[in-house]
Amino acid sequence: MSLSDPAIVSASPAEELTPPDVSAFTHTPCYCEENVYLLCKNLCRMGVTDGEGRDLFAVFISNENRRRHGRGNALHQVWDLDTTLPFPVPLDQYVAEAVRPSLTLDSCFTRLFRVVHAPLFLRCFASDRRHMKNPNGHWMSPPPTYEPIIAEDGAIYNLDKYIQMSAKDVVTNTGDLVERIFSERFGVIMNEMQVEEFFSMLSNGNSS
């Protein structure tokens, strides 16, 4: 199964959101990427964002080895179905209590963040769930009851495009982040410091 932890970040001011209850959203254990895809679609449908999700961003958290290890802007909200924090939770609280940047990690656990603009994510993401089957073809965790997600271009599986991350692919010029985020179908890769800086730049009106 995937060792990424995706969530949705909303660039809308917190006071403009009327958050629905977490029970209103589909959640299948171990299928977090699909959960986030459906969460994004439902936030659009419920009017929490516009119909295309233009102020939403899917954020995949992983590292080069896809291995798990056992400060921000309160204007932004994080919608994460796999956390015990409030739903949604202010970005600064999420970073402090879930990401925990002050925690010293071994280099193999250094976290990278793939940030994908929601309209691109909704059009391009695809998964036939092959990553959830063992070598014998048996499910490692029961799949969702709905049909697998197929991309707009007909792709049936591209999850690896989202969860494969390398430090060499981190965008070094922070000024390029805002420009590229709205055109890169698989998003851009950032480090911890850049994620907060990116959303601060959006707060200051540097968006398309």
Side-chain angles (χ1 to χ4, degrees):
M1 65 184 63
S2 168
L3 294 187
S4 62
D5 291 301
I8 292 289
V9 177
S10 170
S12 292
E15 63 269 20
E16 293 182 5
L17 298 174
T18 303
D21 187 86
V22 66
S23 63
F25 300 97
T26 300
H27 180 269
T28 306
C30 301
Y31 291 82
C32 48
E33 295 84 9
E34 294 190 38
N35 292 336
V36 165
Y37 177 91
L38 294 179
L39 170 62
C40 194
K41 293 197 73 157
N42 285 328
L43 290 176
C44 295
R45 179 179 57 81
M46 293 174 176
V48 177
T49 180
D50 65 47
E52 295 184 7
R54 285 177 288 188
D55 60 353
L56 299 180
F57 298 84
V59 181
F60 290 77
I61 306 173
S62 190
N63 51 57
E64 293 197 18
N65 297 315
R66 301 191 196 179
R67 300 176 65 183
R68 294 188 188 275
H69 184 275
R71 312 171 295 255
N73 190 321
L75 286 176
H76 306 300
Q77 301 281 289
V78 177
W79 305 74
D80 188 344
L81 296 171
D82 293 299
T83 180
T84 57
L85 295 172
F87 181 85
V89 59
L91 178 60
D92 56 353
Q93 181 181 351
Y94 186 84
V95 170
E97 298 183 30
V99 178
R100 301 174 67 189
S102 61
L103 190 65
T104 301
L105 300 176
D106 187 276
S107 60
C108 68
F109 297 117
T110 298
R111 290 163 295 203
L112 299 172
F113 299 75
R114 182 183 295 276
V115 182
V116 189
H117 194 210
L120 293 170
F121 182 58
L122 290 175
R123 292 199 299 269
C124 300
F125 175 73
S127 177
D128 59 8
R129 302 163 185 163
R130 66 185 68 178
H131 63 295
M132 293 301 296
K133 290 185 176 181
N134 64 24
N136 295 321
H138 299 136
W139 293 109
M140 293 186 285
S141 182
T145 56
Y146 55 84
E147 292 297 314
I149 297 168
I150 299 175
E152 192 177 78
D153 64 2
I156 62 172
Y157 186 81
N158 55 25
L159 177 58
D160 285 344
K161 296 282 188 180
Y162 294 95
I163 62 178
Q164 287 179 348
M165 304 184 202
S166 173
K168 66 181 178 59
D169 296 321
V170 170
V171 178
T172 56
N173 185 343
T174 305
D176 290 342
L177 292 176
V178 173
E179 179 179 349
R180 293 178 56 183
I181 197 71
F182 298 106
S183 60
E184 298 281 347
R185 62 183 303 190
F186 297 115
V188 297
I189 299 175
M190 309 179 194
N191 58 36
E192 288 181 6
M193 294 181 61
Q194 288 174 312
V195 169
E196 295 189 79
E197 185 174 359
F198 167 73
F199 285 104
S200 293
M201 291 170 68
L202 291 186
S203 296
N204 294 329
N206 295 319
S207 62
S208 64

